[in-house]
């Protein structure tokens, strides 16, 4: 069984260790990390998965905006699940819960750098085929998901970091539990 909870400050050390384990210690050199340097993640949207009180999964979302219209969006990542806990639905639950909360906050678009083979099942499609790009990143790995129908056609251009407006941040009083 695992439980999904809002990230707490005491989780941070365990999150860094988990991410180093699954992505390698040089993960911070990836282009997408540059978009996370200038801002903290969106408050209330950083989630963790725990199994027997051990942290086994993490997801965060970062504020970005897109192109000259400065369309507000989210950058998902990193999403990581402990090696011995993969394929039990933890990644799926973290994404579903994160998407649901992001939509409740009013966010309409989520981008990420990852593989379509995994993220396609959650509604992610090629971002470059919709005129979106991220400097320094392989365009085939940039994916986008619409949380609000019809919003993708209004967005185009380069991903930009910045202090884009945070939309309707809510409290984080929830817990989600599932068997694994
Ligand atoms: C990718 C990751 C977040 C998925 O989380 P998870 O909890 O293991 O995955 P879930 O249980 O939600 O989903 C399992 C399904 O995803 C598939 N899957 C897992 N990783 C995948 C990948 N890298 N590519 C394609 N499919 C993948 C599994 O084969 C399984 O498919 P099935 O449902 O058809 O059997 C996790 O495995 C992880 O942290 N991996 C290390 C980091 C990594 O490889 N990232 C690259 C992904 S872009």
């Amino acid at each position: 069984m695992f439980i999904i909870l809002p990230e707490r400050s005491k989780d941070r050390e365990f999150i860094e260790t988990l991410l180093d384990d699954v992505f390698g210690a040089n993960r911070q050199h990836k282009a997408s990390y540059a978009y996370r340097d200038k801002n903290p993640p969106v408050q209330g949207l950083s989630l963790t998965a725990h199994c027997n009180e051990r942290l086994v999964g993490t997801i965060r979302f970062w504020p970005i905006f897109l192109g000259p219209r400065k369309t507000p969006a989210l950058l998902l990542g990193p999403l990581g699940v402990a090696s011995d806990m993969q394929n039990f639905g933890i990644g799926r639950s973290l994404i579903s819960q994160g998407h649901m909360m992001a939509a409740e906050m009013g966010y309409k678009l989520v981008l990420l750098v990852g593989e379509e083979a995994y993220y396609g099942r959650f509604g992610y499609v090629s971002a470059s085929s919709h005129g979106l790009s991220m400097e320094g990143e392989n365009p085939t790995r940039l994916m986008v998901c619409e949380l609000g129908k019809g919003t993708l056609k209004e967005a185009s251009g380069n991903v930009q970091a910045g202090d884009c407006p945070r939309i309707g941040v809510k409290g984080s009083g929830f817990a989600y539990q599932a068997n694994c």
Side-chain angles (χ1 to χ4, degrees):
M1 185 184 293
F2 64 90
I3 185 166
I4 293 180
L5 295 172
E7 182 185 314
R8 303 155 298 182
S9 51
K10 66 179 181 180
D11 294 327
R12 289 195 188 133
E13 183 191 337
F14 299 98
I15 289 172
E16 294 307 308
T17 303
L18 186 156
L19 292 174
D20 284 349
D21 285 349
V22 296
F23 288 105
N26 64 349
R27 63 190 166 89
Q28 310 227 14
H29 297 132
K30 293 179 182 182
S32 56
Y33 270 81
Y35 299 87
R36 302 173 187 141
D37 284 347
K38 296 177 184 142
N39 277 315
V42 175
Q43 193 189 335
L45 266 189
S46 296
L47 306 175
T48 51
H50 302 259
C51 189
N52 296 329
E53 302 195 17
R54 172 186 159 217
L55 190 143
V56 293
T58 171
I59 192 170
R60 287 168 171 162
F61 295 83
W62 306 77
I64 53 170
F65 56 82
L66 305 172
R69 288 189 190 170
K70 297 199 180 294
T71 309
L74 292 171
L75 181 65
L76 184 162
L79 166 69
V81 175
S83 311
D84 62 329
M85 292 297 291
Q86 293 178 0
N87 297 314
F88 290 118
I90 295 173
R92 178 172 58 239
S93 299
L94 287 167
I95 292 175
S96 302
Q97 184 71 37
H99 277 187
M100 196 180 74
M101 294 170 71
E104 279 177 6
M105 288 179 183
Y107 287 100
K108 310 269 192 243
L109 289 174
V110 186
L111 281 85
L112 59 79
V113 178
E115 293 169 25
E116 186 167 14
Y118 182 65
Y119 290 103
R121 69 193 71 196
F122 305 107
Y124 284 85
V125 296
S126 159
S128 59
S129 65
H130 288 276
L132 296 166
S133 55
M134 177 184 275
E135 212 173 304
E137 189 48 72
N138 178 347
T140 64
R141 287 178 52 78
L142 186 64
M143 316 282 302
V144 62
C145 176
E146 250 184 354
L147 300 181
K149 278 205 169 139
T151 47
L152 191 46
K153 63 176 188 287
E154 291 161 19
S156 67
N158 210 15
V159 173
Q160 295 167 59
D163 195 16
C164 80
R166 281 142 202 274
I167 308 172
V169 173
K170 285 185 179 174
S172 49
F174 82 95
Y176 167 92
Q177 201 163 301
N179 290 315
C180 64

